[in-house]
Amino acid sequence: MTLRVAYEPRIAGDAIGTTPIFNWLLWGYGIPALSFWAGSYFLRRRGDDAPLARGGNPPQSCSRLLLAFLEIRHAVNGGDVYRNNTGLTEVALQVCVALAMGDRPWSACGVRTGSQVHNIGAVLLTVCSRALPPSSA
């Protein structure tokens, strides 16, 4: 999945449309995030993997973050996720999402589960959110 997203982050190709929220990005990233959540829910019910079910799982968190980031990029740039410049509105929204969805929840999951993946993910998201480039518009 990582290589596929790195190669073509729009998942559906050129057919994502210009509608801000209800577009093909929601299907491409929202359905996997929902599937990962459902998997952790069923693991929690059966008790098979308590740390994973209690603390959430990195694929679900990554899918949610990618969905939020690309939806912001899509909405701010009128459907063009490959636009060459970045405005202040987009950077501000990206930082807010990174801090809201990345820093706090991943740190809490890392403390709760003792998972190094969560700890490293929280640090990387915090560093990346504070290192976003300034507006070039």
Side-chain angles (χ1 to χ4, degrees):
M1 181 178 164
T2 304
L3 292 176
R4 170 69 175 104
V5 170
Y7 174 70
E8 175 62 76
R10 295 178 297 182
I11 301 289
D14 294 333
I16 57 176
T18 58
T19 307
I21 300 295
F22 299 106
N23 51 39
W24 286 104
L25 292 173
L26 186 62
W27 289 101
Y29 291 101
I31 298 298
L34 187 62
S35 299
F36 289 129
W37 173 82
S40 68
Y41 174 77
F42 289 121
L43 284 173
R44 181 173 50 239
R45 280 189 33 194
R46 291 188 49 205
D48 289 347
D49 197 359
L52 175 67
R54 256 194 346 257
N57 53 18
Q60 177 201 10
S61 299
C62 289
S63 294
R64 286 184 311 157
L65 281 167
L66 285 171
L67 173 64
F69 287 159
L70 283 173
E71 286 287 353
I72 289 169
R73 181 112 180 113
H74 181 268
V76 171
N77 294 315
D80 183 13
V81 295
Y82 289 130
R83 192 170 187 174
N84 210 9
N85 63 352
T86 305
L88 182 60
T89 304
E90 181 182 353
V91 171
L93 289 170
Q94 298 276 357
V95 168
C96 289
V97 166
L99 292 175
M101 292 177 75
D103 185 24
R104 179 92 171 129
W106 278 50
S107 296
C109 286
V111 168
R112 190 171 36 222
T113 63
S115 170
Q116 289 297 323
V117 172
H118 287 108
N119 292 335
I120 292 169
V123 170
L124 287 175
L125 282 169
T126 305
V127 168
C128 290
S129 68
R130 287 173 172 84
L132 282 174
S135 173
S136 61

